[in-house]
Structure formats: C-alpha cells, structure tokens
Amino acid sequence: MNKQEKNKVIDDLVVRIKENKNFFLVDTSTLTGIKVNNFRRDCFGKEVEMTVVKNTLLQKALEKVANPDFTPIYDTLVGNTAIMFCTKQANSPAKVIKKFRAENSKPTLKAAFIEDSVYIGDNQLDFLDALKSKDELIGDIIGLLQSPAKNVISALMSSSHKLSGIVKTLSEREEK
C-alpha cells in the first residue's frame, strides 16, 4: 500500500468516525474465515458495518479527529483490529458480539466509543449490551410522566363511583 492509498484510507476513516458517534473496536484473531464471514453476516443483519483496519492507520485517523479525545483508545490498538460502526442503536454491536460469542470465544471487545464516552476492555460488554437506545429512554420518560396523571384520574374515577354509591345508599335510607 503506497502513501496515497494510506492517506485515502485515513481520510475515509476520519469521515466515518465524524459521521458515527458510536463505534466498537474488536479482536477477531483466531476466527476462521468462515466464522468471520458469519460474524459479518450477523453484523449486516443488525445494520452494523464491520471492517478490518490497520492499527497505525486507525490511530492516525483518530488523531486527525480533533474533538473528542481518543487517547485512551490508543493502547488497545495492538494485534488484529476490526472496527464496527452502528448508525441507529449504540448497543447494536454489543448485542451482535454477545450473540456470536454464545457459540464462539471471539470476538473480544477492545474498546468502544459511544456518545463522547470511551469504554475499554471486554469486561464492559455486558454494560454496553444493557444500554438503552434514545427511543427507549424517551419511552421510559413518557411512561414515568404519564403514570402520576393516570393514578390521579384513576383515583378520581373510582372515588366518584364510591361517592355516587354512598349518596344513593343514603337517599334510599331516608325513604324508609
């Protein structure tokens, strides 16, 4: 690969990193070609794009992106590295990795960058898998906001039935 090709790869990575606020770095070494292709297929099904990258080119691309600071990720750039970009849900790559690892020992998570936060190490995979998407969080907040109003309306409705029942009972007593 000559210098122009390397610069093109770096520039492409810079654009992709700026466009995607979420990406995962994984180690796919020791996976056979068939298993890597199966993993790619799983990624494609969840709208996650995976590409193998050279560590030096990835580090240069990360250095070119001025904000945020990717310095903690640099130490993980050793050995075989694949980068997983997700456009919709931040936890999609984590779900794909966990599902694939149910039958395989790899891929292992090296690092993840999600919305200005860096997560280092495979021990973060369970936490990243449990992250809720923006839509799920909005749904939870709306549910919490609606809950008190529903309780008040329910209490008023039930008490009005009780009140009318008491009035009816009292009116029937007076007639006797």
Side-chain angles (χ1 to χ4, degrees):
M1 185 180 285
N2 65 29
K3 187 147 179 96
Q4 288 178 334
E5 292 171 336
K6 288 180 182 178
N7 287 334
K8 184 180 180 337
V9 170
I10 291 170
D11 292 340
D12 289 344
L13 282 171
V14 167
V15 169
R16 306 263 326 268
I17 290 168
K18 285 182 179 179
E19 287 176 352
N20 295 292
K21 295 179 181 179
N22 311 309
F23 63 87
F24 284 55
L25 301 177
V26 294
D27 178 9
T28 57
S29 63
T30 71
L31 285 178
T32 64
I34 293 170
K35 288 185 179 181
V36 170
N37 286 338
N38 290 339
F39 183 63
R40 284 183 197 270
R41 195 171 297 117
D42 289 350
C43 290
F44 182 77
K46 294 287 186 184
E47 298 182 20
V48 175
E49 187 177 335
M50 184 193 92
T51 52
V52 176
V53 294
K54 289 185 143 235
N55 292 323
T56 54
L57 299 180
L58 179 57
Q59 183 168 342
K60 287 180 181 182
L62 292 172
E63 288 169 354
K64 277 190 169 185
V65 178
N67 190 17
D69 181 26
F70 294 109
T71 308
I73 294 176
Y74 299 159
D75 292 337
T76 66
L77 297 178
V78 291
N80 189 336
T81 303
I83 189 166
M84 300 172 73
F85 291 106
C86 53
T87 55
K88 293 195 176 184
Q89 291 187 359
N91 65 352
S92 293
K95 291 189 181 299
V96 172
I97 293 168
K98 281 196 75 163
K99 179 184 173 217
F100 194 79
R101 281 188 23 192
E103 299 171 6
N104 302 285
S105 62
K106 295 269 183 166
T108 55
L109 179 67
K110 289 181 168 190
F113 180 79
I114 298 176
E115 299 283 339
D116 298 326
S117 297
V118 176
Y119 302 91
I120 305 291
D122 196 52
N123 58 341
Q124 300 290 323
L125 189 60
D126 290 331
F127 173 74
L128 294 170
D129 180 43
L131 282 179
K132 291 188 177 190
S133 70
K134 183 178 178 180
D135 292 337
E136 290 171 330
L137 288 174
I138 290 171
D140 288 350
I141 291 170
I142 289 172
L144 288 172
L145 292 174
Q146 287 179 343
S147 180
K150 286 181 181 178
N151 290 340
V152 169
I153 291 170
S154 171
L156 290 174
M157 295 296 285
S158 67
S159 65
S160 68
H161 292 299
K162 288 179 185 175
L163 186 60
S164 66
I166 292 171
V167 170
K168 184 177 179 184
T169 304
L170 289 175
S171 66
E172 290 174 358
R173 278 188 169 174
E174 291 176 11
E175 292 176 1
K176 292 183 183 178

